[in-house]
Amino acid sequence: MSGYDDRDGKIWMDGQLIEWRDANVHILTHALHYASSVFEGERCYDGKIFLSRKHSERLLKSGELMDMPIPYTVDEIEAAKREVLDANGFTNAYIRVVAWRGAGEDMGVSAARNPVRMAVIAWEWGSYYGDAKMQGAKIDIAKWKRPSPETIPTAAKAAGLYMICTMSKHAAEAKGCSDALFMDYRGYVAEATGANIFFVKDGEVHTPDPDAILNGLTRQTVIKMLEEKGIKVHVRRIMPEELADFDECWLTGSAAEVTPVAQIGDYKFEVGALTRDIAESYDKLVRS
C-alpha cells in the first residue's frame, strides 16, 4: 500500500474538494512548529457517521479551548464530511476532521493573526488493533503520565496531547504489544494512547473518572449501554494495583470501537461474556 500522502481521491480543504495529492500546507504552518491543531476521528457505517454532530460540536469546543476559533459551523462541518464521503464513494470509512493554525503574519509562539484552516479526509480502515479485536489486545504500561488539567486543556482533542502517545505506542509495539496504558499525573489509571478503558469485577464495571483525560464519545455511549442493560458502572479513581483484581477489560474509541484486552503488563484478563456482549451490542448500535 502506498503512503497516506500518495493516494487517489478527494480531500475537503478550506471549503473545497481538491485532489488528494494536492492537499498540502506550507513549511511555516504554525501547527507544524507549535502543535496548534485539534482534530476528530469518526467512523461511517453503511453510509451513516456514528455520532457525527457530537464529533463536530466537540471539534469546535476543542478549538475554543485552544484559543483557536474554527471558522465553520456544525452544519458546515457536517456538509463537508458528507461531501468527502460522496466524492470518494465511501459507505464504510474512517473520517478525520482536522483544524489548525496555518502560515500567516506570525511565526512565533503567538499566532493570533494566522488563519485557522480545516480539512476533512476519509479512508477505508479496518480494525484499529487488527487481530486483537477478537483475541484481546496485549497492553504495555507507559512510562509517561497524562498531564494535569492545570497544564493543558485535557478536554480538548488536541494534537499536542498525543506526543507522549506516539512515543508510548512505539515502545509498546517494540515489546510486541498493541498499545500502552497511561497513569495520570496523580498515579491513577487513566487511558490508553487513543482509547478509554473499562474493567469488570464481579459482574460490575469500573472505569476511570475522566477528570484528567478526554471523556470519549464512545466511552459515554458504552456507559449508557451498560446502564440500559442494568449493569452497575462505577466511574471512579482506580489505583494501578487494582489491575490484579479485575476479571475482564476492554478499550473504547471511535477507531478502537470496543476492543477486548487480554493482558496489561503482567496482569491477565479473560475475554469474557460481558466484554463480548458489549462489543456485539456496540456493533449493532452503530449500524442501526
Side-chain angles (χ1 to χ4, degrees), residues 75-222:
D75 286 342
E76 288 170 333
I77 298 170
E78 290 297 292
K81 287 188 277 189
R82 178 49 53 192
E83 196 173 355
V84 166
L85 288 169
D86 291 346
N88 290 288
F90 293 150
T91 55
N92 290 279
Y94 179 82
I95 299 96
R96 172 64 53 86
V97 185
V98 58
W100 70 97
R101 287 274 187 194
E105 296 179 60
D106 294 323
M107 198 49 229
V109 172
S110 174
R113 294 181 295 176
N114 289 18
V116 176
R117 304 181 61 187
M118 192 177 84
V120 181
I121 315 99
W123 62 89
E124 294 178 317
W125 205 15
S127 175
Y128 184 65
Y129 290 105
D131 292 343
K133 180 80 170 155
M134 298 301 297
Q135 301 168 359
K138 183 180 179 183
I139 307 297
D140 187 28
I141 296 177
K143 71 175 184 178
W144 301 99
K145 292 184 177 181
R146 300 309 292 163
S148 163
E150 295 177 325
T151 65
I152 194 169
T154 54
K157 194 169 177 67
L161 283 164
Y162 284 80
M163 181 178 66
I164 60 173
C165 298
T166 297
M167 292 188 291
S168 298
K169 186 146 183 166
H170 287 174
E173 289 173 343
K175 298 177 184 177
C177 297
S178 299
D179 208 341
L181 175 67
F182 288 110
M183 306 305 153
D184 70 15
Y185 67 103
R186 299 160 297 193
Y188 299 122
V189 173
E191 60 183 345
T193 62
N196 293 121
I197 194 162
F198 289 78
F199 301 97
V200 179
K201 180 181 179 182
D202 299 329
E204 297 184 347
V205 173
H206 304 254
T207 190
D209 186 334
D211 61 348
I213 58 175
L214 191 71
N215 184 11
L217 295 175
T218 308
R219 175 187 182 277
Q220 295 174 48
T221 299
V222 167

